[in-house]
Amino acid sequence: MARTLEQALADFSPGLPFAVAFSGGADSTALLLACAERWPGQVRAVHIHHGLQAAADDFERHCQRVCDGLGVPLQVRRVQAGHAPGQSPEDAARQARYLSLADAVTTAWPEVRDVAVAQHADDQVETLLIALSRGAGLPGLASMPAHWQRLGLSWHRPLLAVPGADLREYLHQRGQSWVEDPTNRDEQFTRNRIRARVLPVLQEALPAFRETFARSATHAAQAQEVLNEVAEQDLALVGDPPEIRVLQSLSRARQALVLRHWLRLVHGTTPSAAQLHELLGQVAACTTRGHKMNIKVGSGHVVRQGPVLIWLPA
């Protein structure tokens, strides 16, 4: 069952004071307004000025007016994120945004340890559908967590069970304006196409899709937690660097699990499905001392070094 904004905030218990990521759009405006009313004097706001469009200065001025009216301190950070080869502009902008949010919070308000962001139920569905379209595994199907630790701060998404339309209705009832980012209508982006074309059809065919999809994401997240525990145990068994002979004693599925975990945890890289398939084949073929291995994996190479595997950056 979808939740109201009031119900969602009743279950939200941030450390006080806390910050809200405030773009000026409807979602973050509803979150900021509701939080400022629920915790007067305890809310801070951070606005990220991307500088990617002419309206960005107007967004900043709007955010300042809203915060002045609510008596909420506002920090503004300007970011222009380039993207690395193979990285999408959206990913680059998202990473730069979180870095800037964290820097603004820790610099301006060292006492703040919690940050709320305004993704809601529709955003969660879009994330799940994008993961499905890319053939993602459990980490992708788990979609967005409600809370997580990053950059020394606790991050929260208290609105993940609240439909976006309800947030706009809340603002209409309060007579509160917001800004509309014109890029949200650009259907060259997958997320925007899903929002414009797919969600209305789902609403008509499956009215409860937000709640049922969210349950599936929760089940995936729980299953991934169990797999992470298994991967930790297997990594302790095979060692770092992984010993080939011990790897071969595991099933192929557990080999894949522990190698993916090792690469991500120790080396900060993620293999593609094709790379992992080739790596597993080479592990199975390592039956003689002379068998060599040099496989492109993630952003580097996995090579054989005697009885173990090592990963070398490109």
Side-chain angles (χ1 to χ4, degrees):
M1 179 176 179
R3 312 196 74 196
T4 66
L5 178 56
E6 291 80 5
Q7 289 171 332
L9 289 190
D11 289 337
F12 178 39
S13 302
L16 301 178
F18 69 99
V20 172
F22 183 39
S23 70
D27 310 331
S28 64
T29 300
L31 177 61
L32 181 66
L33 178 59
C35 287
E37 290 181 351
R38 187 174 182 86
W39 293 283
Q42 298 292 331
V43 179
R44 317 288 184 257
V46 180
H47 174 73
I48 302 301
H49 185 304
H50 284 288
L52 298 176
Q53 53 183 296
D57 289 339
D58 292 336
F59 294 169
E60 179 183 339
R61 285 189 286 269
H62 170 83
C63 289
Q64 188 65 66
R65 286 194 299 270
V66 172
C67 287
D68 288 345
L70 294 173
V72 171
L74 174 69
Q75 284 284 312
V76 177
R77 287 291 187 275
R78 292 176 177 262
V79 174
Q80 286 185 309
H83 59 283
Q87 182 186 34
S88 72
E90 300 97 307
D91 277 342
R94 181 168 54 252
Q95 291 184 20
R97 182 163 60 249
Y98 277 108
L99 285 170
S100 295
L101 284 167
D103 177 69
V105 168
T106 55
T107 302
W109 309 295
E111 73 279 12
V112 170
R113 310 311 305 162
D114 294 77
V115 183
V117 293
Q119 283 100 350
H120 50 71
D122 295 46
D123 296 319
Q124 185 75 311
V125 169
E126 293 160 15
T127 300
L128 176 59
L129 291 174
I130 289 171
L132 285 168
S133 75
R134 294 173 177 170
L138 283 177
L141 300 181
S143 304
M144 295 184 292
H147 50 82
W148 72 106
Q149 303 290 321
R150 184 178 185 180
L151 301 170
L153 297 168
S154 294
W155 302 78
H156 307 267
R157 293 186 176 103
L159 306 183
L160 281 183
V162 183
D166 289 3
L167 299 177
R168 283 164 173 74
E169 179 60 27
Y170 169 82
L171 293 176
H172 283 307
Q173 291 174 357
R174 300 302 179 94
Q176 176 64 59
S177 64
W178 66 87
V179 295
E180 290 286 359
D181 186 339
T183 63
N184 288 339
R185 296 190 295 272
D186 187 347
E187 293 190 18
Q188 70 171 311
F189 299 114
T190 303
R191 186 175 291 275
N192 291 349
R193 289 197 302 276
I194 291 173
R195 185 177 305 139
R197 304 182 193 182
V198 179
L199 296 195
V201 176
L202 284 172
Q203 178 64 48
E204 182 177 354
L206 303 167
F209 74 95
R210 291 177 181 85
E211 298 82 61
T212 56
F213 283 24
R215 279 205 302 276
S216 292
T218 299
H219 294 329
Q222 291 171 343
Q224 186 59 47
E225 285 184 23
V226 175
L227 289 178
N228 287 343
E229 293 175 6
V230 173
E232 283 286 346
Q233 294 168 2
D234 284 351
L235 185 58
L237 177 69
V238 303
D240 173 27
E243 187 176 345
I244 295 170
R245 179 186 59 80
V246 182
L247 268 174
Q248 291 171 334
S249 71
L250 301 176
S251 69
R252 185 180 174 94
R254 284 176 68 168
Q255 288 179 36
L257 181 68
V258 72
L259 286 172
R260 191 184 294 112
H261 183 72
W262 168 64
L263 289 164
R264 183 181 67 250
L265 181 70
V266 179
H267 299 292
T269 194
T270 302
S272 68
Q275 290 170 346
L276 188 59
H277 178 78
E278 183 180 2
L279 177 56
L280 292 170
Q282 288 296 311
V283 167
C286 279
T287 56
T288 64
R289 291 184 179 179
H291 186 94
K292 298 185 183 303
M293 185 188 304
N294 189 328
I295 302 172
K296 176 74 170 69
V297 175
S299 55
H301 289 79
V302 170
V303 301
R304 179 179 182 179
Q305 192 174 80
V308 301
L309 300 178
I310 63 171
W311 183 85
L312 301 174

